[in-house]
Amino acid sequence: ATETVKVVYRTAKPFNQELSQTSFEVLDWSRSVGSEADDSTDHTTSVALAKTEPMMAWRSVDTGMRLSKVFNLVDKKIPWSSGLLELDAGQVKDSQATNKNFLVFYVVSGEIQVQVYNSQFTVGTGSSFYIPPKNHYSLENVGSGTGRLHYTQVKDFYSD
C-alpha cells in the first residue's frame, strides 16, 4: 500500500537579528584531507558558521538577478561555496559551464525551469536539483513572483 504524505510549506518570517559573531572555533578538518589523520593532536581553526538574513551581502549580477555568497571556503583543500540566488519573474540566468565544479540547488521559493545539457525540467518550492561537472546549465524563473534558490558549489571536484 502506498502512503500519501501531505507537505505544507509555510512562508517563515526571517530571523532579523544580527549575530554578535559569525566565526567560531572548530576542529581543522583540512589538515587531514587527502592524508592520514593525526588524531594525537587536535588542531583548531576559526570559520564562519552562521549568518542571519540581515547579514547577507547581496549584489546585482544582471538585470533581475541577485546573488549573496554566504559561505566561501576557497582556501581549504576542498574549495566550496554556498549562498542564495534570486531571479525576478521572467528572468533568465544565462547558460554557464560547470567545468570541474558541481552544484546542488534547493528552491526556497518560486518556480524554476532548469536546462542541463539537452535536458529541461521545471521545479518549485521545496525541490532540489543537481548540476554535474562538465555540463552547461541555465535557469529561468517561470513563476509569477521572485524565485529564490539556495546553492552549494564544490569547486575543482572533477579531474581530467
Side-chain angles (χ1 to χ4, degrees), residues 6 20 25 36 42 57 65 71-72 90 106 112 125 127 129:
K6 183 178 180 182
S20 59
E25 187 176 9
E36 289 294 318
D42 289 336
M65 184 169 57
F71 297 107
N72 189 22
Y106 172 78
I112 307 297
T125 301
S127 302
F129 59 96

Side-chain angles (χ1 to χ4, degrees), residues 55-70 72 81 84-87 93 96 151 153 155:
M55 301 167 81
M56 307 285 175
W58 287 93
R59 65 182 174 91
S60 182
V61 178
D62 204 352
T63 303
M65 184 169 57
R66 292 162 300 285
L67 180 73
S68 175
K69 193 175 280 190
V70 180
N72 189 22
S81 62
L84 297 166
L85 173 68
E86 285 188 344
L87 287 170
K93 179 185 184 315
Q96 183 175 348
Y151 71 88
Q153 178 180 23
K155 300 174 182 178

